[in-house]
Amino acid sequence: MAAISYHHGDLRRTILDAAAAAIAESGPASWSLRELARRAGVSHAAPAHHFGDKTGLLTDLAAEGFGLLADALADAGDDFVDVGLAYVRFAVDHRAHFEVMFQPDLYRTDDPRVTAARDRAGHVLEEGVRQVQGEHERTTELAAWSLVHGFASLWISGALSESANGDPEASARPVLRRLFEQ
């Protein structure tokens, strides 16, 4: 058994990283804070001290995920196909965050950090719809989100034959163009 370190540099980050690894391996619901502490090599009380409970930890992970998604979408630029590809890339690169973010029963959806980051990500998508449509239309926004979210979900679950050895962006690009470059 690994020695437990009580003088840790960034304990909060270590615990969040351990949670992301556990979620990537077995999903967002099949681990305990005690198991997470063991995985991170910290005292069994450390996760509860920093996050309160599992819901608190998942709330932090969701807030962080929405913030990372908002940054990725904003960095993609004005081309909405590129924004869609950034969404898919985010889901693939941050699978654990992605899995938690879109299961609101796992975390506190009214947490101000979650709300702010989720709203920021939504705003980038709305701006992308304006680029495509010239105005914000909820139906187009839902179609775009459904397409990129559905593609990303199919990719990370392995449901697409291309996901075994393929490049998610190369596979998603023609799909996104079909919708947005008519």
Side-chain angles (χ1 to χ4, degrees), residues 73-74 76-83 127-128 131-132:
L73 298 178
D78 292 334
D79 184 289
F80 203 49
V81 169
D82 289 340
V83 172
E127 288 303 311
Q131 295 291 328
V132 173

Side-chain angles (χ1 to χ4, degrees), residues 5-81:
S5 170
Y6 292 96
H7 301 286
H8 206 284
D10 188 352
L11 188 55
R12 182 182 173 285
R13 175 82 264 147
T14 298
I15 295 167
L16 282 171
D17 290 345
I23 291 165
E25 289 173 14
S26 59
S30 62
W31 48 268
S32 68
L33 288 181
R34 185 175 288 273
E35 177 186 336
L36 199 63
R38 190 172 35 256
R39 175 188 283 259
V42 300
S43 79
H44 71 275
H49 174 75
H50 282 274
F51 302 100
D53 57 13
K54 187 174 181 177
T55 302
L57 189 148
L58 292 174
T59 298
D60 273 31
L61 202 66
E64 181 177 74
F66 280 116
L68 291 168
L69 176 60
D71 292 343
L73 298 178
D75 290 346
D78 292 334
D79 184 289
F80 203 49
V81 169

